[in-house]
Amino acid sequence: MKIAFDAKRFFHNTSGLGNYSRDLVRILSQYEPDNEYLLLNKNKSERGKDILARPNVKFVETSKGSLSRQLKMGKDAQKQGADIFHGLSGELPLKWEQKPIKKIVTIHDLIFVRYPQYYSFFDRKIHLWKFKKAAGMADKIIAISEQTKRDIIEFLKVPESKIEVIYQGCHQAFKEQQSPEQIQAAQEKFKLPERFILNVGTIEDRKNLLNVVKAIKDTGIPLVVVGRKTKYYQKIESFLKKNKMEKQVLFLEGVSMDELAAIYKMADVFVYPSFFEGFGIPVIEALFSKTVVVTSNTSCLPEAGGKDSVYIDPNNNLDIRAKIKFLWENESERKRREEKGFEFVQKFNDESIAKNLMNLYQKII
């Protein structure tokens, strides 16, 4: 089988959609090696070059010109003789030749409909138009969680029979055991405290970091934050200054995947009080790292966290504080939940995901 992917995010996104795209191609090329995987884009980058070096993965330079992704990429895939075109980020090309090709699109979330306040009017309209168009054109839609599936049915008016839930995995680094030397090197490089709680993700309104900072006020519990700063960071900075907490919270940037994996393993507790997610990859990164998770009781997060993570109301910083303190002070409870969480997270391992994807591909062919 020859499967073509819209590889824009594969080559050019550092987080969410980029990680999903790279992991999906990596997993398929490893566990389903008999197929050919085509990465279509105008250009490539250093990202994912190890995956591109595999014999069954090939870069295809698409036609140049403005809107070539929308108007020419589909036809380019057909010229390559692809059996399936898979749009990895809610979009499909608009133009196709008569030649048959099956179309699949992955939709990650419809946060822009649920939480319009986080998006500009123009972005909301464009996203909704693209997603509706892709959902109508696709032979099958992959939703990355049951929550996203419900949202697709409700907001895009798609019949349930057209949607398959296939969870996503996470980077291999989180499943490996870093050596004591690697862990010590990360600790020294970033000057990490002996014990700390961890938060990972873009520092933006929806991820709700300010409520974690409020929750640890007057507790002395150190917090390490890894993520790109947005304008929202200024709110957190001003709260830290006002409450003389600058030394209690450490912000890290320029962290590699291997370093991040080591930091997850060093953390006592991972805290992720997001208001809404399509899936919440950091939750499974923590569970694979055998670090106990405190996360929101909303959206898909209980799907990612399983029954042994600890759930909070993301609007209630007193609830967040109580749950963090409970785990911080109870080593045996942390250990129990870490082991149970590690058992649960195996359902998101690479082999299962590859098998589910290949079953879907074969079904539509």
Side-chain angles (χ1 to χ4, degrees):
M1 214 185 316
K2 208 181 256 198
I3 300 145
F5 298 98
D6 175 353
K8 180 185 174 184
R9 311 291 184 182
F10 180 101
F11 290 118
H12 299 297
N13 278 51
T14 51
S15 55
L17 297 174
N19 289 337
Y20 172 78
S21 302
R22 288 183 288 274
D23 278 333
L24 184 139
V25 178
R26 172 182 64 78
I27 289 166
L28 284 172
S29 62
Q30 181 178 343
Y31 290 98
E32 301 290 343
D34 299 337
N35 304 301
E36 195 177 344
Y37 303 101
L38 309 178
L39 299 175
L40 275 69
N41 198 41
K42 284 189 210 176
N43 50 34
K44 53 184 174 177
S45 71
E46 286 297 291
R47 287 190 193 99
K49 65 178 180 185
D50 51 330
I51 301 164
L52 200 48
R54 295 179 178 186
N56 54 2
V57 180
K58 178 180 157 194
F59 169 67
V60 176
E61 187 178 350
T62 54
S63 306
K64 297 287 189 218
S66 63
L67 295 178
S68 71
R69 188 167 169 236
Q70 289 76 19
L71 304 179
K72 297 172 183 171
M73 188 183 275
K75 294 178 180 182
D76 290 336
Q78 289 171 299
K79 280 179 197 144
Q80 293 288 325
D83 303 293
I84 292 172
F85 184 95
H86 187 165
L88 297 170
S89 56
E91 293 181 53
L92 284 173
L94 302 172
K95 298 285 182 190
W96 303 86
E97 303 288 5
Q98 286 299 307
K99 195 176 176 186
I101 186 169
K102 295 292 184 182
K103 304 172 193 80
I104 291 177
V105 66
T106 298
I107 293 181
H108 296 260
D109 60 68
L110 290 161
I111 294 171
F112 60 90
V113 184
R114 281 198 170 275
Y115 290 87
Q117 67 270 33
Y118 298 138
Y119 297 82
S120 73
F121 174 80
F122 182 72
D123 281 351
R124 292 199 311 269
K125 292 293 172 199
I126 287 285
H127 284 338
L128 189 59
W129 184 83
K130 282 180 178 174
F131 279 35
K132 275 188 167 169
K133 201 86 180 148
M137 205 184 287
D139 294 284
K140 277 281 182 186
I141 298 165
I142 293 175
I144 59 163
S145 64
E146 292 291 344
Q147 172 66 56
T148 296
K149 178 181 173 178
R150 291 192 293 273
D151 284 355
I152 293 168
I153 294 166
E154 181 181 347
F155 298 124
L156 302 183
K157 307 297 180 224
V158 171
E160 186 174 358
S161 57
K162 197 173 181 176
I163 309 166
E164 294 270 337
V165 174
I166 299 179
Y167 290 114
Q168 57 194 108
C170 67
H171 195 282
Q172 195 55 32
F174 303 100
K175 300 165 193 171
E176 289 161 359
Q177 188 50 60
Q178 282 71 32
S179 68
E181 292 75 25
Q182 283 173 300
I183 288 177
Q184 192 181 346
Q187 184 148 28
E188 287 169 5
K189 176 177 173 179
F190 297 110
K191 300 183 174 57
L192 299 173
E194 276 303 302
R195 291 184 69 196
F196 59 89
I197 62 172
L198 177 67
N199 174 268
V200 175
T202 307
I203 301 166
E204 60 183 344
D205 269 356
R206 179 169 56 85
K207 305 282 188 185
N208 193 27
L209 178 61
L210 184 56
N211 268 343
V212 182
V213 172
K214 288 177 178 174
I216 60 165
K217 181 177 173 285
D218 301 326
T219 64
I221 297 172
L223 166 65
V224 172
V225 179
V226 182
R228 182 175 60 81
K229 293 172 180 168
T230 68
K231 217 164 82 174
Y232 171 73
Y233 168 74
Q234 292 160 10
K235 284 187 190 176
I236 292 158
E237 191 179 36
S238 120
F239 184 88
L240 293 174
K241 279 183 181 158
K242 191 174 160 192
N243 292 281
K244 299 186 173 46
M245 290 173 70
E246 296 101 315
K247 289 201 167 82
Q248 195 179 344
V249 183
L250 180 61
F251 292 91
L252 308 183
E253 290 181 86
V255 179
S256 74
M257 277 293 183
D258 287 318
E259 289 166 342
L260 183 59
I263 293 167
Y264 266 108
K265 290 182 176 69
M266 281 183 260
D268 281 44
V269 180
F270 177 69
V271 189
Y272 196 70
S274 177
F275 289 119
F276 197 91
E277 293 292 323
F279 181 63
I281 288 182
V283 169
I284 67 168
E285 289 171 348
L287 295 176
F288 272 118
S289 305
K290 289 197 172 178
T291 297
V292 66
V293 170
V294 173
T295 191
S296 305
N297 56 8
T298 58
S299 69
C300 64
L301 290 162
E303 280 181 71
K307 66 182 176 56
D308 291 286
S309 290
V310 173
Y311 294 97
I312 47 93
D313 169 1
N315 290 294
N316 184 342
N317 53 290
L318 294 177
D319 186 29
I320 300 171
R321 177 195 184 94
K323 306 279 172 59
I324 289 172
K325 281 191 75 178
F326 167 69
L327 290 169
W328 182 258
E329 291 161 6
N330 286 277
E331 188 181 3
S332 60
E333 189 59 20
R334 284 201 309 274
K335 293 282 173 274
R336 184 186 74 76
R337 288 176 185 271
E338 283 161 11
E339 292 303 327
K340 292 283 191 189
F342 186 69
E343 279 171 35
F344 164 78
V345 82
Q346 300 311 312
K347 71 187 269 191
F348 304 116
N349 69 32
D350 292 353
E351 210 167 342
S352 316
I353 293 164
K355 196 167 133 219
N356 292 338
L357 283 163
M358 201 40 64
N359 286 345
L360 178 61
Y361 289 160
Q362 283 164 345
K363 191 157 70 174
I364 70 162
I365 286 289

